[in-house]
Each structure stands twice: as structure tokens, then as C-alpha cells.
Amino acid sequence: MNRHSRTLVAVLAFALLGTTAPSARAQVLSGYVLPSQTDPALTNFNDAHFVALPADPGQRIGKLLLHLPGSGHEPWQATNWVRTAAALGYQAISIKYQNVPSIASFCAANTNLDCYRLVTEENITGAVWADGDPTAIKQVSLTDSITNRVVKLLNFLATNTVTSAQNWGQFLGPDGVQWNKVAVSGHSQGGSCALLLAKLHVVDRAALFATVDWIYSPTNTRPAWFAEPGLTPPERLYGFTHFEDFGGANHEQQPLIWQDLGLTAFGPIVQVESNAPPFLGSHTLTTLLTPASTNAGGQFEYHASVIIDRAIPTNASGTVTWAPVWSYMLTNVSAPPPAALTLSTNGAGDWLLNWFGNSGFSSQLEHSRDLVTWLKLDLPAPEVNAVMSLQIPPYLLTDSQRFFRLARRALINSPIPTTPGFYTNQTFVQGGIARNYYLGVPVGWNAATNWPLMLVLPGHGQSIAEFANLQQELISRASTNGMILVFAEATAGISSHRWFAYENPGTGQPYVDDAAFLLALVEELVASGLNVNTNRIYLSGFSNGGAMTHLMAGRTNHPFAAFAIMESGTAAYCHYPEPYDRLAPDSGTNLLANVPPPWPPRPVMLMNMATSVPWVFEGWPPVRGARENVARWVQANGYGAPVTNGLGVIEPPAALLTLTSNWTAVGNARARVAYEDIRPDHNWPTNLVANGWSLADALRFPYFRLVGTNLVDQRLPEWVRLTYPHTLSPDPVSPTTHVRVDSGTMTVEIWRAAPLNRTNEVIFVGLSDGGHQWPNAADKLPFNGSEEVLKFFNAH
């Protein structure tokens, strides 16, 4: 280790250094760590790693920059680049690894062009050749591999007293590095390693500086692996090299490599000093500026000038010239090259849609009759870097015209903000699919406080945009009550947005593991800078989102402290028939859904409307009724087993506390509900007509429901009407579509171990009317869902 790095390591033993990055947007902490500090076995190549991050936790974006120096260079020689990344919100590391001699020294005289890839992969994994293999072109032990050194450094930073509060552990997972949270960069040999990492893993982005100095070979042919498909798509790769860099990635050969990598699809090669950000959207950047240093022979260091501190040109004020270039490489987001859909037929004459996949995306096909209304076909799925094909189902070929398009989503985790506000268009990747969520950071958020978090799941057919539009009161109340609020979105398939609120039947039918998605999303939020109170994480859902909440409560590894379930029940059937045929999706037999009972015990509040159309209050086997679902919770929380009453209804044992209230309202103070959202009483329409209704209006309620091929009378049984008496009248403004609730009934039943003991309490709220909704103040019902759910969660 040289004297320079030895001195800096001594400083790190006490604290990280406070510095300001060039063109800094944030104050930056930086320092050095010896590899041997992270693992005593790392005694080779023991020059210090360099570490930098924003000083303010609120400015950290939840991404890691991993920089790999070039041949013979040290981490301390490119600190301006690393600090610039930190100033932009990255937690950044530049590591020492086995970067001598150069790859060219091993492979330049080797006619086997695969030598370049093998040596580069050996640097990364140490596993191409077994330790001690005499045939190895280059020998890197598993211990000394780049991957192991990164894992050891992150573990050290996550547990060291000085740095443990900086959340470095968020970049580690069960299998090592969480590469989707990592931007990789490298210079020269380090650039080749960064590039191969981007091919082996889906990374956030890759910045390649003067990267192909091994181009010379006896065949004068560039290595084939540059053009091979990789897991990171080309729109996330950026190259920057000096035009006069004849020692390596020079102006004659570099464009051929950029072409192989697919970078030339994003625009021309741009001379950065003659253009301003965003540099015409280019991913291929170059310069003619004179380097700031010369080598021992007096020659300008073109090869080093794009990243090595001593060689970087500076402007008149001494500021690093490349700061805007680097910022662009670290923050720019480019759309992928459009996927061209083509039509073909197979040997059987079936029509196929074909496109070239992009592993940086998940996608699903959409179809339309008129180019206005687009419907989903199949569920979203991850793409691969190869030709992909799907057969068009015959039922879509019966029209005179049908249009198809590919809807793509980038596999990128959005930075998690900590500034108070409501953030839409947040994305999170799980299971190879990009998922949507909205995030509300409460008023007054600060890093010194632990904050409760409430995750809310919309219903069937609801996007989070539609749900959020209906829940402005909840958004406002959560913010003023100091609650982090998250709306998560289900995937959309043939039947619009819908949660898979049951265990995977394992029969081959389509299935999205939404439980894994929700658990991973919560884990991501906890690992972020939001400072979530892990003892106060809550889950709530409406309708199908409530069914998903029921399922999550049965996952023994869930992190939720309490649940609230609005106008919902447990899933009865799987979404897809068995056997499933995507070409004839209505064929087959519906399978019963498996929804385990809640466990472990947790507090829960449930609300159901007695006249609900989607969730039948009394239940129709195998659909559980509202009271049977309550009984599952009452039993799980230790308040007694379900009972079957004299009417054959499964319900919970008697509650500790029961309150019944009746309400009346007049004029516009009455709740307004659509006819289609209220199941009629058993004696309608006769009684309605007898009480002054016109027969036409009395017949507007949904008396019958098609269940399979059977037309079922869905009027309320007498016991439901007697429990929840109500009176309605046609809405005077829109009498053909809506009614007004003149009077109604609400019951509240509470199961507790003792009257004032709220531990693992079960609360059931039943309302006579209100339609299928999450009620808010504007709905003019005696139960305000947003207010009551927040009060319930704040009590737990």
C-alpha cells in the first residue's frame, strides 16, 4: 500500500471525512476502508477502498454506485467521479481488486477471442478457473473476486460503528449483492468488468470510461461477447472516451464497440464540450479537450483524462469540466428502442405476434378495436434478449380489424423520496415485473422520528390512480396524522386490475405472487431513508384488495401490526379455470381458492355493507359470508370457535361488546347510492310499490345475478333485513339511476379479552346501505372509513 492511501485509512479509523463534491448538490461524507478491515482473509491487493455518500439521509436515493478502477489504478485516483455520484444521492464505493496486469497482457497475443471474457469473468467471480488450476490464464481466488470484495465491504459498512446507521445493508440480499439497486462504472479494465456485470445482472445503469483498451489482437477482431445479449438493456449503458485515446478505446475502434453494445441507437457520438446536457440524448460521448496531466514520457494522458483526478481538465474556476457529463450519465433516463411487432404464422396457420425482447423490461400485449380503448392480453411478464412470440387467440380474430401494441415497463426501482408530499409513478420490481405504487410522505417528516406506515390495496378493476382519486380524504388525513401512506397496484390482465388473493394452486394456470410483491415492497420501504417504525406497519384493503389483506394475514412471516378490511371477504375461486387455455380462457372448471386462516393473532377491523352486491353479506357457499369471515378472525385471536346458528349461518360467538344505532337523514344530507349497488330486500318490489314507488323504479335494483349459467335471485334473506332495517327513496335529481338512504342501521361488535384490553381485538362494523365502497365523509354515512381506520391503526 502506498503512503498516500495509508494516511487516509488512518483517518477512517475515527470518522468519515466531510467533503464537498465538484458541482455538489449535497454535502458528501467520504473515507477509506482497507479490504483487510472487511475480512482478514483479504490480504492481497490491500490498498484502500474509497467510500462516499450524501451526509443528509434524506438526500440518499437508495442506489449504490460501484466503481472499478482501470489497470494499475487505485480507488483514490477517481474520487471526483465517486463524490459526484454521492452528491447526486448515490451511496458510492470504489473498490480495490486484482486489476494488474491488464487484460491485454493476457489476451493480446491470444488468438482465442474468448480470452477477454474469461479473464474479465475471473476478475468478477474468481470461479472461471478453480483456485490453483495450472491452466488458468489468470488466477483470481474466490476470496479476491470483485463480487466477494463488494459483499465484504457492504457488510462491513452495514455493521461498523461509524457507518451502521447509513443503511448499506439495503444493497445486500440472500444471494449477495442486490444488483438491481446498483449502478456500475469502470475505467479501462474496470470498464470491461462493469460491462460484464451489466450483462450478467440487471443493473440500474453502467458508465463505461475508456473501456476497450484490449481491442488489439493478432486477428484485429473485437471480442464477440460485446455483441452478445445481456440482462441490462442498452438504454442503461453509457460510454465516454477521449477522441485521442490511441492507447485504448480510440476513435477508430470505440464506435464499433458502441455499435455492438447497441448504444448508437440513441443518437450520434457527441463531443461534450460543444454540447450541453442532455447531449442530444446520446449514450456515446467523447472529447477533444487537453488532459491536465502527462505521463513519465511527457505524453498527455488521454486514456485517463475522462475520469482520473490528475488528468481531468478543469475550467477557469478550477471546477471539474466533466461534472455535467457525469451527472448526465448518472441520471439520464432513455426510452428503449421501440419494439417492432411483426405478424407471422406457424405451421398450423395460427397467427403469431413477434418482437425482439429487452431484458430490462416487463411487458404485456394490448389489443383494441378502435385505437382508443385498449384491453390487456395475458398478464405482464419479464422479457428476454431474444425473439419473443405469442399466438393471437382466435376469439380476437373475428372482427374486421384488431390492433395490437406492446406495453413495456422498465425494470427500475424508483428512488424513495423523504420530502413531505404525495408521489405518484413510483415503480418497484419484483418477480421480473415492474409494479406501481404511490407514496405519501407526511407533513413534518424528519429523519429523527420513527414513522408508522399504512399500506392500502385498491379493489378489483381499480388502478391506483382511480383509487387515489376517490381517497383524497384518506391521503390528507394520513399526512396530518403522521402516517406514511402507500397505495400498491395489482397487475392487470384480461379482467383488469386484480389481486391474486389466494395461494398458488400450482396447476400451471396464470398466477402472480402478490404476497411476495407486498412483502418485498415493505422491505424496500423499511430499508429506505423513510425511517419506518417496524413495529407500526399496517395493511388495509378494499374489496379485492381486502381479500388480499385476508391472505396476507395468514402469512406467518408478515410484518403487519394490524389490519383493516373494507367491504370485502376471502377469495372463493381462483381467477383462471383449470385446465387453463389462453386461446380459450373461458373453458375449463373454476378451482376453489385456498386462503389460510389468519395467523399469528393481530388486531383487525372489518366493515361490510349488508346490501352489498359484489360481496354477498350472508354468503353463498363456497363464498363465505361476512360473519363467517369475522368468525375466522375471532377464532384466530383466541375468542372462541365459529358457531352455526338456527338459520345455518356460520358466525362468531357472541361479542364482548355490541352497539346498534339507527340513523335518519333528509334532503342532501342523505347518502346517495346507485340502484345497481344495492341488493333488494326479500319482499321487494311488492313492498316498494305499496309504499309509493313506481313499478319502473322498484324494478331497477339488481334482483337477479348470473352465477355460472344459473340465474340466481339475490334478494336479501329476511334475517339480514331484520338485522339492518333501512328505507330508501328515489333520488329526486336522478331517480332512474340513484336512490337516497332515508334511514339505516349500523352495528358494531367488538371481541376483546377484557373491555379495555385492545390487544388483538376484533371489530366488525355492519352497515345497512352505502353501496360497494370505502366510505368517506362525503358519502354521508355514520361510518367514515378513512377516519376510523386511521384511529384504529393509531391505537395499535
Side-chain angles (χ1 to χ4, degrees), residues 353-373:
L353 285 167
N354 315 290
W355 71 99
F356 194 86
N358 184 324
S359 61
F361 288 80
S362 57
S363 64
Q364 63 190 137
L365 287 168
E366 298 179 338
H367 60 95
S368 173
R369 287 191 178 99
D370 55 13
L371 294 176
V372 176
T373 301

Side-chain angles (χ1 to χ4, degrees), residues 472-501:
Q472 293 302 305
E473 180 181 348
L474 177 59
I475 293 169
S476 176
R477 285 182 178 273
S479 181
T480 56
N481 277 271
M483 182 78 73
I484 297 170
L485 181 65
V486 180
F487 293 162
E489 187 173 72
T491 54
I494 294 175
S495 185
S496 186
H497 295 279
R498 186 163 57 173
W499 298 99
F500 285 77

Side-chain angles (χ1 to χ4, degrees), residues 429-465:
V429 179
Q430 198 280 326
I433 300 173
R435 306 291 295 264
N436 296 331
Y437 70 98
Y438 286 3
L439 172 65
V441 181
V443 172
W445 184 93
N446 61 79
T449 304
N450 289 329
W451 298 84
L453 183 148
M454 174 181 174
L455 176 60
V456 186
L457 312 181
H460 179 199
Q462 285 184 315
S463 67
I464 46 175

